[in-house]
């Protein structure tokens, strides 16, 4: 909203205020931080009020003692909205683990959700095999630090061509991961391991929903996104080409265009 107003008589000060735009809560994935949304925050502030927290133990947020849970993450997000005085329904956007948190936020605060953006995520819970792998990874993080976790994930995080050619992007993703605290990694692994199955919720999530998924995601198969889109009453799936598990960074042009088009519906009469 462009304004011209005068705090002082005879003087008109022009200013921008995004408080009339739909608030969008951008929840990052594991073991990342809010820098994964840098290219959206920079580009989309004219259509949304973008709020991108670092989950506890990640980025600049405090590393409290694990274990964490998706409920704890969802409550942290709700408390942040309260602190910012945001009482209107918002669009909740979650990337991968952030999507698991978004589903939990919807269960706890359905009245606060005007729309959903689900990025590179899935509705289902962990298999016994995946739960065991989470515990093994937590043991590695405790014994050796976060670096082996980051190095193990990195080749699967990006599309193979991007991993091979986009040196700056690979470094950016690695830096985000190795900045995560051991507490954050161990806590988030427990949160993901113990999260409930959100599949039964999908038909009841009757809000405008955008699902974005990298065509070459090696961590969560595209079929998971297709299944979510089919089960949700108001979902639209956009498959992001030339992108793996991090489409917001790998193909920001296509990603942001889809986001912009989606967010504009919140201004239609
Ligand atoms: C993520 O990207 O947040 C995680 O890889 C998701 C998961 O491990 O289930």
């Amino acid at each position: 909203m462009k304004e011209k107003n005068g705090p002082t008589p005879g003087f008109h000060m022009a200013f921008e205020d995004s408080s009339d735009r739909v608030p969008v809560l951008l929840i990052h994935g594991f073991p990342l931080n809010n820098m994964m949304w840098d290219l959206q925050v920079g580009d989309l502030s004219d259509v949304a009020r973008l709020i991108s927290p670092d989950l506890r133990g990640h980025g600049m947020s405090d590393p409290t003692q694990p274990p964490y849970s998706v409920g704890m993450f969802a409550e942290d997000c709700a408390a942040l909205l309260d602190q910012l005085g945001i009482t209107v329904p918002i669009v909740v956007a979650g990337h991968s683990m952030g999507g698991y948190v978004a589903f939990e936020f919807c269960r706890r605060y359905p009245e606060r959700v005007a729309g959903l953006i689900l990025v590179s995520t899935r509705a289902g819970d962990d298999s016994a095999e995946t739960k065991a792998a989470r515990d093994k990874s937590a043991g590695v993080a405790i014994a050796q630090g976060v670096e082996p976790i980051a190095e193990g994930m990195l080749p699967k995080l990006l599309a193979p061509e991007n991993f091979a050619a986009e040196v700056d992007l690979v470094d950016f993703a690695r830096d985000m991961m190795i900045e995560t605290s051991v507490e954050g990694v161990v806590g988030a692994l427990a949160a993901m391991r113990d999260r409930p199955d959100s599949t039964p919720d999908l038909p009841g999530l009757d809000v405008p929903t955008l699902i974005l998924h990298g065509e070459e995601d090696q961590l969560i198969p595209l079929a998971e996104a297709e299944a979510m889109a089919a089960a949700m009453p108001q979902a639209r799936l956009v498959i992001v080409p030339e992108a793996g598990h991090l489409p917001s960074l790998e193909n920001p042009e296509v990603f942001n265009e889809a986001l912009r088009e989606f967010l504009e519906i919140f201004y239609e009469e």
Side-chain angles (χ1 to χ4, degrees):
M1 172 171 61
K2 267 229 185 280
E3 291 275 2
K4 239 180 180 192
N5 211 334
T8 312
F11 167 62
H12 292 280
M13 177 180 268
F15 63 96
E16 289 267 1
D17 176 1
S18 63
S19 62
D20 63 328
R21 291 163 205 159
V22 63
V24 179
L25 178 71
L26 297 161
I27 311 173
H28 64 78
F30 169 85
L32 305 170
N33 60 52
N34 66 5
M35 285 164 61
M36 68 158 288
W37 305 113
D38 274 2
L39 302 177
Q40 286 66 55
V41 172
D43 190 38
L44 296 166
S45 58
D46 59 324
V47 278
R49 177 178 178 186
L50 298 153
I51 301 139
S52 51
D54 286 337
L55 295 174
R56 63 172 69 211
H58 298 70
M60 310 272 285
S61 287
D62 291 343
T64 60
Q65 280 307 306
Y68 307 161
S69 65
V70 286
M72 191 183 264
F73 285 145
E75 291 302 328
D76 288 342
C77 291
L80 175 64
L81 296 173
D82 291 343
Q83 189 190 323
L84 295 172
I86 297 174
T87 52
V88 294
I90 61 162
V91 174
V92 183
H95 169 259
S96 201
M97 176 179 76
Y100 312 156
V101 178
F103 285 129
E104 186 62 31
F105 189 94
C106 290
R107 275 189 287 276
R108 291 176 184 233
Y109 299 103
E111 73 289 351
R112 293 186 92 155
V113 181
L116 266 173
I117 301 172
L118 299 168
V119 183
S120 316
T121 193
R122 55 157 53 100
D125 56 357
D126 278 1
S127 64
E129 194 187 353
T130 304
K131 284 180 198 281
R134 305 262 193 223
D135 291 340
K136 198 167 160 208
S137 296
V140 170
I142 290 166
Q144 299 171 45
V146 170
E147 244 176 87
I149 308 290
E151 292 305 333
M153 271 186 83
L154 206 47
K156 291 177 262 166
L157 208 53
L158 305 174
E161 315 82 76
N162 294 337
F163 183 67
E166 302 286 337
V167 180
D168 291 348
L169 184 53
V170 173
D171 287 346
F172 187 79
R174 178 187 292 108
D175 287 349
M176 270 194 288
M177 289 198 280
I178 61 178
E179 276 165 24
T180 308
S181 63
V182 171
E183 290 91 336
V185 166
V186 173
L189 285 164
M192 291 191 286
R193 179 196 62 201
D194 298 337
R195 73 186 190 279
D197 182 7
S198 298
T199 314
D201 300 348
L202 295 177
L205 288 170
D206 197 2
V207 289
T209 301
L210 175 65
I211 300 177
L212 290 144
H213 212 91
E215 194 172 19
E216 298 168 65
D217 193 326
Q218 302 174 76
L219 286 174
I220 298 186
L222 178 57
E224 299 272 1
E226 288 168 342
M228 284 194 301
M232 298 179 80
Q234 298 189 54
R236 174 167 173 250
L237 170 64
V238 173
I239 299 169
V240 184
E242 293 165 32
H245 193 61
L246 274 181
S248 66
L249 289 165
E250 291 176 89
N251 195 340
E253 294 80 18
V254 170
F255 191 91
N256 288 6
E257 197 183 310
L259 238 59
R260 178 174 292 279
E261 196 180 307
F262 176 72
L263 291 170
E264 277 168 358
I265 66 176
F266 292 91
Y267 299 98
E268 285 165 7
E269 290 302 311

